[in-house]
Every structure is written in C-alpha cells, then in structure tokens.
Amino acid sequence: MSGKLLGIFIIVTALIFGAAVYYFQVFHYYETVIDDAGEVFLTPLDGTEPRHIPYADFEGIDATSSPIRYRGCFTTPETVQSLDARFERYEGAEPRNAPFWFGCFDSEAIGLLIETGEAHVYAARRNVEYGIDRVVAVANDGRGWIWEEINECGDKAYDGTPLGEDCPPRD
C-alpha cells in the first residue's frame, strides 16, 4: 500500500509542478504595456534617432523574464509606401509566438503577410537591450505589430562566440 501512495504522491507533485511552470511561463511574468509607454517609433533612413509615427488601438505586453517577450499590436493611417520612403527596412525578421491569450498577435499570419510582401518590417530601435532590436511590421491595410529580434551581436553574445569589431561595447 505504501508504494502506491508514494507513486500517487510523486505523480501529483509532478502535475502540480508542471502546472505551476506552465502558469508562470504563459501568464505570470507578462504585464500589460500602457499606451503611453508603447509609442510606435521607426528608425529614419538617415540613421538619426527613431521617430514617432501616428498610431491607434495599441495593445502591448512585456515581461522582465526575457529580453524578447515584448509584443504589440496597433493600427496606423500610414501606408507602407510612405514608410518605405522614410524609414529603414529590417531584413530577416520573423515574428515570435505570443501567448495564446494575446489574440491580436498571430505570428503565423504576420509571417505570411511578410513573406507575401503584404507587410513590411522596419527597424524601430536597435539595441533596445544589448543584442536585441525592436522591429515593427506594418501591413497594407494599416495593421501593425511590434516584437523584438536577437540581432547578430546578440547571437554571438548569447552563444559565446567572440563578438568582433562590428558589435558595440556592452554597457
């Protein structure tokens, strides 16, 4: 009888631990980004300081547990043609999954829009945190999304490869 109780105890403990880990990863660490803090900026073609673009209907989440958990959604009256003429494009960006409960950010649909050219990705801020760039994608219909990408220096820093001369010094 004690073997069965021990087995049940181990299974129940594992289930509770698994549920706690799931809860912390999917819900606990995320915070809502207040609209004032979520202003949408893009980096001009001349490389000067990022500039604000008009936006509405902003929704955002962020977490301190990882530098790449920032996600945001918004709408803008700007067209991709207008943005292309003024702001720096960001090549190779792929939207990262968002928690299922953050419904406005569907990474597969956004990725498909980028792949088909219906959405363009722009550099928002480089090195928001060392090795992490914030990017903004805007679709032809005015919908927009924000997330963070690990840049080349970040890849090197996180996998232990020597940084090289291209990378800025770490603060």
Side-chain angles (χ1 to χ4, degrees):
M1 186 68 174
S2 66
K4 286 183 182 180
L5 288 176
L6 181 61
I8 290 170
F9 175 76
I10 291 171
I11 290 171
V12 168
T13 302
L15 287 173
I16 290 170
F17 181 76
V21 168
Y22 176 79
Y23 170 79
F24 278 98
Q25 288 298 314
V26 176
F27 297 102
H28 179 75
Y29 291 112
Y30 283 99
E31 297 175 0
T32 301
V33 175
I34 306 300
D35 191 26
D36 293 343
E39 291 186 357
V40 181
F41 289 88
L42 299 179
T43 301
L45 288 171
D46 63 8
T48 58
E49 283 296 307
R51 295 197 183 127
H52 177 264
I53 64 166
Y55 71 95
D57 306 321
F58 182 85
E59 292 180 59
I61 57 173
D62 197 4
T64 58
S65 62
S66 170
I68 57 171
R69 286 198 167 186
Y70 186 92
R71 304 285 185 283
C73 306
F74 63 94
T75 59
T76 183
E78 295 274 1
T79 65
V80 291
Q81 294 79 12
S82 167
L83 295 173
D84 282 350
R86 298 177 295 156
F87 298 105
E88 180 183 326
R89 294 279 297 268
Y90 193 98
E91 298 301 323
E94 294 180 19
R96 305 202 182 286
N97 292 333
F100 68 88
W101 50 265
F102 191 60
C104 70
F105 197 98
D106 179 351
S107 61
E108 288 183 25
I110 299 165
L112 185 59
L113 289 170
I114 294 167
E115 189 177 306
T116 60
E118 295 175 61
H120 295 181
V121 182
Y122 303 93
R125 289 188 190 267
R126 298 224 181 245
N127 288 304
V128 171
E129 184 172 313
Y130 187 84
I132 307 295
D133 295 335
R134 185 165 291 169
V135 299
V136 173
V138 176
N140 290 330
D141 63 6
R143 291 178 298 150
W145 304 273
I146 307 169
W147 69 93
E148 291 177 345
E149 289 278 331
I150 299 174
N151 62 31
E152 190 175 325
C153 294
D155 279 337
K156 290 178 182 178
Y158 297 124
D159 74 8
T161 306
L163 295 180
E165 295 176 20
D166 302 10
C167 297
R170 261 188 127 146
D171 292 336

